[in-house]
Amino acid sequence: FPVTIGRPKINEAESSIEKVEKDLERVSKNELEELERQMQELEEHLNNNRNAYTDEQIKEIGRLKGRYTSIMVKKGLLDFKESLKDLGNQMEGFVEGFNETYNNKGNTTEN
């Protein structure tokens, strides 16, 4: 019967995932990096100590990996959406600045 020394690592990762899922839009880069570190440690621990995990715990780790991947995709999409918004604002400002300069100086002929 396997010893379940992996349970604390599973609990730690699950707790972090739940915390991030509750407030994904406000999660900090540091929190995401910490979650990534925990998931890597869990994966490494599983690889090095396979016999320390029950089949059910391995399935649970798979579910956590799925939730983690979903978080990273959603966070990436949120960041991408913000980047597009910023780009849109920058383009709007660019056009306004260009038009102001063009309308003020573009109508005169310089020799």
Side-chain angles (χ1 to χ4, degrees):
F1 188 76
V3 180
T4 57
I5 61 172
R7 172 54 48 196
K9 292 202 175 293
I10 292 171
N11 291 346
E12 180 183 344
E14 184 173 31
S15 175
S16 293
I17 285 172
E18 287 172 358
K19 180 181 175 190
V20 169
E21 285 174 334
K22 285 180 184 174
D23 200 9
L24 187 59
E25 290 188 28
R26 289 183 177 78
V27 69
S28 72
K29 183 179 177 186
N30 288 342
E31 289 171 310
L32 286 176
E33 288 171 353
E34 176 63 17
L35 178 58
E36 181 178 9
R37 183 195 61 75
Q38 289 173 350
M39 293 304 295
Q40 288 172 346
E41 283 182 7
L42 180 58
E43 179 72 24
E44 188 176 310
H45 193 266
L46 173 62
N47 290 338
N48 294 333
N49 303 283
R50 170 58 185 91
N51 62 347
Y53 291 87
T54 65
D55 289 343
E56 186 56 39
Q57 287 174 325
I58 292 171
K59 287 179 188 175
E60 190 174 351
I61 291 170
R63 285 190 292 272
L64 291 175
K65 285 182 184 179
R67 289 169 68 187
Y68 167 74
T69 300
S70 177
I71 286 168
M72 298 312 279
V73 167
K74 287 177 183 175
K75 186 61 181 163
L77 290 176
L78 288 172
D79 289 347
F80 181 68
K81 186 176 164 185
E82 266 312 298
S83 294
L84 285 179
K85 181 180 171 188
D86 288 347
L87 180 60
N89 288 337
Q90 288 178 30
M91 288 301 298
E92 186 178 335
F94 174 85
V95 170
E96 288 173 3
F98 178 84
N99 284 338
E100 287 172 11
T101 301
Y102 181 79
N103 290 333
N104 290 336
K105 296 180 182 172
N107 294 332
T108 60
T109 322
E110 295 183 19
N111 291 329

